[in-house]
């Protein structure tokens, strides 16, 4: 945003509110994490404490405290929104023109088929005004339990019964955070950058920063993560140049201003509200931490796990037929899935079989093509066979029903309702458990319609699609949606990515971002740590190599595609398949999944990984999981194709004063498993000195260690 625009939005602070008191009403606890005192709401968990204050017709964020660091961050009340309306008047959250309505609250829960549990609470605070336009804003705060953060967004409503209302540009949030000596880490695409100075909303290379994580020299900090797309498509193939617009918003950290803000990019988002329409506006996630950049990224990972309702996140290995059927347009022999694909998938111990693109009569139907019927008979027959073999059923299914930049306009609620009915049929009638959404479906309709305008068509697509998917997951907990990096922009091979706005509950994504090109490798996935949640990461290079170095590397991510033809003995050699079966039998043991279904914890993600000099091309790569009490842990180490073999794996996620017995439980390439005691170490020793790991001890560079508290 230009300096002129910044002055327009932020130049006149509300002097009356800067010195506002805390009120004298009787404190009333609304819940464990939200308390209200008069017109003050306080949100608190183990990590942060934030207070929102309404007074004299305005509302502000009046406090943000980092509890582990015992530090209050805000130098003064901070702005919760500002909107320029119809290219004219500006309304601000603190301008004194708002009337407060009745707040409401609800629990945030995660639901599976077996149970549900609480992960946080949500409160809605409604405001409305009559001038300069009849306009309402509902502030929504989500505070997540334990070590987590705060999510904030608004619902904006045009109260006029006759006229449209356009939010031509907005400040989503503006925080008066201290510009003290710091290192600011940010992510334009996938690779992390850092600066000792400020950050503007301008692009870095060809991409725009989408996250800001600041570590103060005092050893504490904060992270701001708006939920954005990667880039915004201009048109639907009718623009030869300048068709990659910025994401919907950007981050400004102390660049020509004394605060940290999230501001919209008007060339990508100008939300026009129809008469009496309410629509969701952009969300921002806010976390705080004590420690270094790794602690900051970990704070975000812990928050994201609850915000996106992840559970049962042990890696899902799936057989995918694109490379030997859909991609080359190859018709498979009759019964091929029953004679070859399913038996081989089961023998290797994989979790799911997936039909990729070109399985249906057209991309818009749920009826198999004639050639697919030869290979599978019907979806019902395939589903039953997979279920009888304890395998999941994955399916590529387009929401737009067309190719790149084609098909249904997903900003139209009627079109989404039709696609939802199809998905529900696939789930309920055909037993589908995983759904891949692919191709450039978020193209821009530049015409004004009864449901969108050019300035908000793409934004409406993204918001309405994710809302639909979240609803489907809530109603069908077995449903696992995957949204690929092709959604935003027509294929830019080797450099395309995803964003937080495209993550559905308990789902995953494909991400590229220029790390290792179209090879969605372990390196690419690990780079996502703290930016795109590790519980949403994906690798596309699963192979039957017969090397535990490779097999162990697959455990880091949420899902792995095995795309080679199971009927090709050269690519699925017998010994390698047998070893994969041994590995997966171990991987599914209850004591293993009790850990791997939980939070990914990094230990060593390449050379210099905890610094600004991180080189992810040099291993080894080490990570772990623990139980909730940190009494048990599983640590995985792999060279993953790199030359390095030794590392002192410094483990920061255990209890300093607890002594742990460490056992080498590595499966070697011949299928035998070690049971070698490595010794006893205190958590402090493991954190400071590290666990010596030598990957050359085995025939390929992969290791597994079990930790047990004494």
């Amino acid at each position: 945003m230009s300096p002129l625009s910044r002055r327009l939005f932020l130049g006149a602070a509300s002097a009356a509110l800067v010195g506002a008191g805390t009120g004298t009403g009787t404190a009333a606890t609304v819940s464990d994490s939200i308390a209200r005192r008069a017109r003050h709401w306080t949100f608190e968990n183990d990590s942060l404490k934030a207070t929102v204050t309404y007074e004299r017709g305005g509302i502000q964020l009046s406090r943000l405290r980092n509890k582990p660091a015992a530090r209050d961050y805000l130098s003064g009340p901070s702005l919760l929104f500002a909107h320029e309306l119809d290219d004219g008047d500006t309304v601000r959250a603190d301008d004194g023109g708002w009337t407060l309505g009745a707040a409401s609250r609800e629990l945030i829960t995660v639901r599976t088929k077996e149970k549900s549990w609480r992960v946080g609470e949500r409160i809605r605070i409604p405001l409305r005004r009559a001038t300069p336009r009849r306009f309402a804003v509902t502030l929504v705060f989500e505070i997540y339990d334990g070590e987590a953060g705060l999510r904030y967004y608004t619902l904006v409503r045009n109260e006029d019964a006759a006229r449209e209302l356009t939010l031509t540009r907005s400040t989503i949030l503006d925080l008066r955070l201290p510009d003290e000596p710091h290192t600011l880490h940010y992510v334009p695409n996938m690779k992390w950058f850092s600066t000792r100075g400020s950050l503007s909303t301008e692009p870095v290379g060809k991409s725009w920063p989408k996250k800001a994580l600041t570590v103060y020299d005092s050893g504490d900090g904060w992270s701001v993560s708006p939920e954005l797309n990667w880039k915004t498509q201009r048109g639907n193939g009718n623009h030869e140049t300048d068709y990659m617009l910025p994401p919907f918003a950007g981050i400004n950290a102390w660049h020509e201003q004394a605060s940290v803000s999230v501001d919209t990019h008007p060339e990508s988002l100008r939300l026009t509200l129809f008469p009496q329409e309410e629509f969701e506006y952009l969300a921002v996630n806010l976390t705080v931490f004590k420690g270094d950049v790794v602690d900051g990224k970990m704070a975000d990972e812990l928050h994201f796990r609850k915000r996106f309702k992840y559970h049962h996140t042990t890696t899902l290995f799936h057989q995918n037929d694109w490379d030997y059927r859909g991609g080359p347009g190859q018709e498979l022999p009759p019964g091929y899935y029953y004679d070859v694909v399913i038996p081989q998938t089961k023998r290797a111990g994989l979790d799911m079989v997936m039909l990729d693109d070109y399985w249906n009569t057209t991309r818009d139907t749920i009826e198999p093509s004639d050639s697919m019927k030869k290979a599978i008979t019907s979806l019902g027959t395939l589903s039953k066979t997979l279920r009888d073999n304890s395998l999941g059923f994955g399916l590529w299914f387009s929401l737009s029903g067309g190719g790149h930049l084609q098909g249904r306009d997903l900003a139209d609620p009627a079109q989404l309702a039709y696609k939802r009915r199809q998905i529900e049929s696939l789930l309920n009638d055909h037993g589908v458990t995983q759904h891949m959404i692919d191709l450039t479906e978020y193209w821009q309709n530049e015409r004004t319609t009864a449901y969108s305008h050019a300035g908000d068509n793409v934004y409406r697509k993204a918001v309405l699609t994710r809302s639909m998917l979240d609803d489907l997951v809530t109603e069908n907990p077995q449903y696992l949606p995957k949204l690929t990096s092709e959604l935003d922009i027509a294929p830019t091979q080797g450099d395309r990515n995803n964003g937080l706005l495209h993550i559905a509950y308990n789902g995953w994504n494909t991400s590229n971002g220029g790390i290792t090109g179209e090879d969605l490798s372990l390196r690419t996935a690990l780079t996502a740590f703290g930016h795109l949640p590790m519980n949403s990461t994906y690798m596309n290079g699963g192979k039957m190599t017969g090397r535990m170095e490779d097999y162990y590397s697959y455990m880091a991510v949420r899902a792995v595609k095995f795309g080679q033809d199971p009927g090709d003995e050269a690519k699925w050699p017998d010994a390698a398949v047998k070893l994969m079966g041994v590995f997966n039998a171990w991987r599914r043991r209850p004591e293993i999944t009790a850990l791997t279904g939980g939070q990914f914890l990094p230990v060593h993600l390449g050379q210099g990984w905890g610094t600004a000099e991180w080189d992810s091309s040099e291993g080894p790569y080490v990570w772990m999981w623990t139980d909730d009490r940190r009494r048990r842990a599983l640590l995985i180490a792999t060279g993953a194709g790199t030359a390095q073999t030794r590392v002192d794996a410094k483990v920061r996620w255990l209890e300093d004063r607890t002594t742990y017995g460490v056992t080498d439980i590595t499966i070697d390439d011949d299928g035998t498993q070690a049971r070698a005691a490595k010794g006893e170490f205190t958590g402090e020793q493991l954190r400071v000195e590290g666990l010596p790991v030598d990957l050359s001890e085995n025939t390929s560079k992969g290791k597994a260690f079990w930790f047990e508290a004494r």
Side-chain angles (χ1 to χ4, degrees), residues 488-519:
D488 281 337
I489 300 292
T492 49
Q493 302 292 338
D495 182 17
R496 51 187 175 184
N497 211 346
N498 233 305
L500 293 179
L501 185 54
H502 300 335
I503 300 177
Y505 288 158
N506 203 35
W508 62 86
N509 306 84
T510 65
S511 301
N512 182 319
I515 301 298
T516 54
E518 291 300 292
D519 174 17

Side-chain angles (χ1 to χ4, degrees), residues 223-234:
S223 177
V224 170
S225 303
E227 296 183 11
L228 301 174
N229 54 340
W230 178 52
K231 295 179 183 178
T232 307
Q233 177 76 34
R234 179 183 175 218

Side-chain angles (χ1 to χ4, degrees), residues 35-157:
R36 178 176 179 181
R37 182 182 178 92
R39 293 179 173 184
H40 303 255
W41 295 265
T42 296
F43 314 102
E44 184 171 7
N45 57 23
D46 292 349
S47 298
L48 63 78
K49 185 174 185 179
T51 299
V52 170
T53 301
Y54 174 86
E55 193 165 7
R56 302 176 189 177
I59 193 165
Q60 293 178 315
L61 181 67
S62 54
R63 186 185 192 191
L64 176 63
R65 182 169 178 79
N66 181 334
K67 291 175 65 176
R71 182 177 179 187
D72 286 298
Y73 280 139
L74 301 183
S75 60
S78 293
L79 184 70
L80 287 166
F81 63 81
H83 302 298
E84 182 182 87
L85 306 180
D86 295 327
D87 287 309
D89 294 312
T90 297
V91 296
R92 296 164 46 99
D94 61 359
D95 66 11
W98 300 93
T99 300
L100 178 67
S104 62
R105 67 174 182 88
E106 62 183 332
L107 294 182
I108 303 171
T109 60
V110 178
R111 174 177 171 264
T112 67
K113 284 189 172 182
E114 297 79 25
K115 62 179 182 178
S116 64
W117 63 94
R118 164 193 163 135
V119 292
E121 295 186 72
R122 178 185 298 113
I123 190 166
R124 292 181 170 88
I125 304 172
L127 304 172
R128 59 175 24 91
R129 68 190 303 136
T131 59
R133 292 290 304 273
R134 296 183 61 196
F135 182 46
V137 177
T138 298
L139 292 78
V140 184
F141 296 92
E142 296 176 348
I143 181 72
Y144 290 88
D145 296 339
E147 295 181 80
L150 180 69
R151 179 176 183 250
Y152 163 68
Y153 66 98
T154 57
L155 303 172
V156 290
R157 176 179 170 82

Side-chain angles (χ1 to χ4, degrees), residues 97 113-114 117 128 165 168 178 184 193 283-284 330 336 426 458 524 534 545 586 591 632 685:
K113 284 189 172 182
E114 297 79 25
W117 63 94
R128 59 175 24 91
L165 175 65
T168 49
L184 192 158
F193 294 80
V284 179
Q330 180 72 34
Y336 194 73
L426 291 171
V458 178
T524 296
M534 287 302 298
T545 64
W586 167 81
E591 67 270 27
R632 284 183 165 185
Q685 285 177 295

Side-chain angles (χ1 to χ4, degrees), residues 419-489:
K419 301 308 289 189
R420 177 172 183 151
R421 290 192 294 272
Q422 288 183 308
I423 297 170
E424 288 172 336
S425 178
L426 291 171
L427 295 175
N428 300 322
D429 302 331
H430 301 292
V432 170
T433 55
Q434 194 267 324
H435 174 199
M436 175 179 172
I437 301 168
D438 198 24
L439 306 182
T440 311
E441 307 202 357
Y442 295 164
W443 48 270
Q444 183 193 31
N445 184 345
E446 297 178 273
R447 295 180 294 108
T448 297
T449 67
Y451 51 81
S452 75
H453 295 70
D456 60 30
N457 177 262
V458 178
Y459 179 70
R460 287 175 181 270
K461 282 178 165 72
V463 171
L464 293 176
T465 298
R466 188 175 73 175
S467 178
M468 178 191 72
L469 296 175
D470 286 348
D471 285 348
L472 285 166
V473 173
T474 301
E475 295 174 5
N476 307 272
Q478 80 281 8
Y479 176 51
L480 300 171
K482 165 192 168 185
L483 284 75
T484 78
S485 57
E486 292 185 346
L487 287 180
D488 281 337
I489 300 292

Side-chain angles (χ1 to χ4, degrees), residues 9 45 89 136 176-177 181 217 240 282 315 367 429 480 484 510 547 599 613 642 658 668 670 681:
F9 278 87
N45 57 23
D89 294 312
R176 297 179 65 177
L177 293 163
D217 291 0
E240 294 184 3
L282 292 164
T315 311
E367 177 67 23
D429 302 331
L480 300 171
T484 78
T510 65
R547 294 165 53 84
Q599 179 64 54
E613 306 302 320
T642 64
T658 299
D668 212 339
D670 62 1
F681 308 83

